[in-house]
Amino acid sequence: MRLTYIAHAAFYLESGDHRVLVDPFISGNPLAKHKPGDFHPQAILITHAHGDHVGDAVEISKRTGAVVISTFELGELLARQGAHTNAGNHGGTLSFPGGSVKLVPAWHTSSYGENFLAPGVPAGLVVRFGGKTIYFAGDTCLFSDMKLIGEEGLDIAVVPIGDHYTMGPADAVKAVRFLEPKIVIPCHYNTFPPIKQDPHQFKQMVEEQTSATCLILAPGESRDF
Ligand code: NI
Ligand code: MN
């Protein structure tokens, strides 16, 4: 399974003939080296409605036929814009070509567009793909039910560390203790001035205080697992 950190909270997963985009904020993303046209997913997984997560999902779904998976209200909204959607809700596991995703809680808000429509609530994603279990926390604060998510048996946990809109580095280290992944990948930092962080400091805290290995990826960088 190949994982590419596009930038911010956007990731691309590839395994065999299967390809999955997560939170595809690509055009307008100041750190992204890719363009939306670089990606040919069969599934697009979205944590919540904020523009830095929905990103180019509708356009890519229309171009590729990829199914957009999210919580229910956001799925209905994106379907009206022409996306191919399969919307579920917390606790549900939805299949896509090559894998599945369980939608789990995340503590955050979720609004869309100029009028701040609030389509449903955010989710975290427990993705089973390419023989690995990967948790994308989405935008969230720390919450103790992450212990339950850890019981899924996580190979990789992708956690925000930017602070301001999400948990910051200290709470993200506590999250790693609850989640007990083998590998933790920080995201949602350094894209905008309010979320400036030093990921190397986070890595040091993770590796001193937990048994996980912290993998810092540069925008555009890929790693095989
Ligand atoms: Ni958000
Ligand atoms: Mn965000």
Side-chain angles (χ1 to χ4, degrees):
M1 196 271 300
R2 170 165 291 182
L3 176 148
T4 300
Y5 177 49
I6 299 168
H8 196 57
F11 289 82
Y12 196 46
L13 309 177
E14 299 167 88
S15 177
D17 294 332
H18 296 123
R19 299 170 299 277
V20 182
L21 261 178
V22 179
D23 282 354
F25 171 46
I26 303 164
S27 51
N29 181 335
L31 299 181
K33 315 263 186 246
H34 288 90
K35 294 187 168 53
D38 296 337
F39 300 103
H40 306 275
Q42 291 116 350
I44 303 171
L45 316 180
I46 310 266
T47 58
H48 65 293
H50 287 153
D52 60 322
H53 297 261
V54 171
D56 303 289
V58 172
E59 176 205 321
I60 295 171
S61 175
K62 284 182 179 170
R63 171 172 57 80
T64 63
V67 63
V68 176
I69 296 180
S70 68
T71 49
F72 178 73
E73 289 79 7
L74 177 58
E76 291 298 300
L77 191 139
L78 298 179
R80 288 181 193 180
Q81 297 180 19
H84 308 270
T85 60
N86 182 15
N89 219 323
H90 297 145
T93 299
L94 288 77
S95 295
F96 56 80
S100 70
V101 56
K102 184 174 183 178
L103 302 172
V104 295
W107 278 96
H108 190 61
T109 59
S110 189
S111 63
Y112 190 85
E114 288 175 355
N115 296 318
F116 299 98
L117 280 172
V121 293
L125 311 170
V126 177
V127 177
R128 291 190 164 85
F129 183 73
K132 301 291 178 194
T133 301
I134 311 138
Y135 169 53
F136 294 91
D139 286 2
T140 188
C141 62
L142 177 67
F143 56 98
S144 61
D145 280 354
M146 285 178 171
K147 283 182 188 170
L148 292 174
I149 296 168
E151 289 176 12
E152 302 277 342
L154 306 177
D155 295 296
I156 302 169
V158 177
V159 299
I161 64 162
D163 213 330
H164 198 96
Y165 304 111
T166 68
M167 57 189 174
D171 279 357
V173 172
K174 289 186 187 172
V176 173
R177 270 196 232 121
F178 288 150
L179 295 164
E180 298 189 78
K182 296 185 183 116
I183 295 165
V184 57
I185 298 176
C187 72
H188 213 276
Y189 64 93
N190 290 355
T191 320
F192 313 112
I195 59 173
K196 193 162 169 47
Q197 295 294 341
D198 177 0
H200 295 94
Q201 253 175 25
F202 174 68
K203 177 180 168 73
Q204 190 180 348
M205 287 194 291
V206 165
E207 295 184 351
E208 281 172 5
Q209 298 175 37
T210 80
S211 55
T213 301
C214 180
L215 178 61
I216 298 169
L217 295 174
E221 189 176 354
S222 299
R223 199 60 72 96
D224 291 320
F225 296 95

